[in-house]
Amino acid sequence: MFKFTRRTEYALIAMRHLQSKSMSEITTTKEISDQYAIPFEILSKVLQSLAKVKIIKPVYGPNGGYIIKQNLSNISLWDFLEIMEGPLGLADCFIDSDCTQLDNCNIRTPIQQINNKMKTILTKMTVSDVTL
Amino acid sequence: MFKFTRRTEYALIAMRHLQSKSMSEITTTKEISDQYAIPFEILSKVLQSLAKVKIIKPVYGPNGGYIIKQNLSNISLWDFLEIMEGPLGLADCFIDSDCTQLDNCNIRTPIQQINNKMKTILTKMTVSDVTL
DNA sequence: TTATACCCGACACTTAAAGTCGTATTTATG
DNA sequence: CATAAATACGACTTTAAGTGTCGGGTATAA
């Protein structure tokens, strides 16, 4: 449990880098990939997925690259992590909710309380808490 | 990120089950494995590792099984999770601390703050918050 | 002595993350 | 309008971690 995936790390690094630029500056995948020693192809896909959810904006053609949406303070960290890694939860039953042995399970309730505490923290924080 | 391993779930289920028994009652691996549909061999190993760190006490021979240490309120959830899953941290640099590109990394500090918040929650809670 | 329970290392299987490759699309520029 | 530079994307391979299996070993009550 409890570790960001590389994709998530790459995304946060890239977003912070993009955020440090002025609104009109365009940054290429290669620039970021070089500066932080991130495999180019992987970073490409990460940035593509960020573009897909409109967190960053692609600019095609020569001298192209990406621009970031400047205000990321309206995206909670929880939501962002779910974008990057899929649905979050301490156990499957908080995600799919079709655990075959829910009847027998004796720890669902206490774990749900822990789950909620974690969720609260991550929901109160925003992406810009990391990138700004 | 963010999901208990099966081993951890099995351990918590078993511990809660053991905790519900009186101090003198002995519970076998098979009883738990049957009741919660947990593969016997896996559960065996989980219980063995709990015995190794003295959280439960093995009783050998026929009519043997396990007894739990009744007071688990002195073991924090954080410590317990590290027993089950190894060192915890949102990123490797909070575990090994030999990340080759620490110099370049632009997100270590903000992530460390999140890491600390999570750690605080899990350190304040104890195993008996789940098993009792 | 035997049956029953825990102990444990070595191995196989499964799955998800990580990384690679080839190709298509968009567009600024000479 | 041809070209080069950038993003877009699906299919594939590799890697690592978690999950599960197997075979034998140890302790002990009866």
Side-chain angles (χ1 to χ4, degrees):
Chain A
M1 76 172 292
F2 211 70
K3 211 160 74 177
F4 290 149
T5 61
R6 282 235 175 72
R7 294 186 76 248
T8 300
E9 285 183 24
Y10 295 160
L12 290 172
I13 290 173
M15 287 161 75
R16 183 163 173 118
H17 185 88
L18 287 166
Q19 190 97 285
S20 75
K21 300 291 186 76
S22 77
M23 191 67 182
S24 55
E25 256 182 298
I26 294 178
T27 309
T28 65
T29 305
K30 185 154 195 336
E31 173 182 331
I32 301 176
S33 133
D34 282 347
Q35 177 156 350
Y36 303 96
I38 300 170
F40 177 83
E41 289 296 338
I42 312 265
L43 181 62
S44 294
K45 293 202 171 180
V46 169
L47 294 179
Q48 281 159 32
S49 63
L50 291 179
K52 214 168 208 171
V53 296
K54 306 278 171 64
I55 288 180
I56 61 180
K57 184 169 151 313
V59 178
Y60 293 100
N63 307 316
Y66 291 102
I67 300 170
I68 197 169
K69 222 178 88 181
Q70 280 306 297
N71 195 351
L72 293 174
S73 56
N74 52 344
I75 304 181
S76 79
L77 220 41
W78 179 271
D79 289 343
F80 172 72
L81 289 171
E82 289 207 316
I83 287 170
M84 295 306 299
E85 312 193 0
L88 297 183
L90 285 178
D92 285 332
C93 57
F94 305 125
I95 299 172
D96 326 307
S97 74
D98 59 341
C99 170
T100 54
Q101 53 189 38
L102 268 184
D103 302 335
N104 294 330
C105 185
N106 58 359
I107 54 169
R108 188 169 194 274
T109 308
I111 288 185
Q112 189 160 29
Q113 287 167 12
I114 307 172
N115 195 69
N116 288 343
K117 288 193 185 186
M118 309 285 252
K119 182 165 182 175
T120 298
I121 286 187
L122 293 175
T123 303
K124 279 185 182 162
M125 299 186 74
T126 71
V127 173
S128 55
D129 287 328
V130 178
T131 61
L132 227 51
Chain B
M1 74 172 291
F2 211 68
K3 211 158 74 177
F4 289 148
T5 61
R6 283 235 173 69
R7 293 186 76 248
T8 299
E9 285 183 23
Y10 294 161
L12 290 172
I13 289 173
M15 288 163 74
R16 182 162 173 121
H17 185 87
L18 287 166
Q19 189 98 284
S20 75
K21 299 291 185 77
S22 77
M23 192 67 182
S24 54
E25 257 181 299
I26 294 177
T27 309
T28 65
T29 305
K30 186 154 193 334
E31 173 183 332
I32 301 176
S33 131
D34 282 348
Q35 177 155 351
Y36 302 97
I38 300 170
F40 177 82
E41 289 296 339
I42 312 263
L43 182 61
S44 294
K45 294 203 171 179
V46 169
L47 294 179
Q48 283 159 32
S49 64
L50 291 179
K52 213 167 208 172
V53 295
K54 304 280 172 61
I55 288 180
I56 62 179
K57 186 169 150 313
V59 179
Y60 292 99
N63 307 317
Y66 290 103
I67 300 170
I68 198 169
K69 220 178 91 181
Q70 281 304 297
N71 195 351
L72 293 174
S73 56
N74 51 345
I75 304 179
S76 80
L77 219 42
W78 179 273
D79 289 343
F80 172 73
L81 289 171
E82 289 207 316
I83 287 170
M84 295 305 300
E85 313 193 0
L88 298 182
L90 284 179
D92 285 332
C93 58
F94 306 124
I95 300 173
D96 326 308
S97 76
D98 59 339
C99 171
T100 54
Q101 52 190 38
L102 268 184
D103 302 335
N104 293 332
C105 186
N106 58 358
I107 54 168
R108 188 171 194 273
T109 308
I111 287 186
Q112 189 160 30
Q113 286 167 12
I114 308 172
N115 195 70
N116 288 342
K117 288 192 184 186
M118 309 285 252
K119 182 166 183 175
T120 298
I121 285 188
L122 293 176
T123 304
K124 279 185 182 162
M125 298 187 74
T126 71
V127 173
S128 55
D129 286 328
V130 178
T131 60
L132 226 51

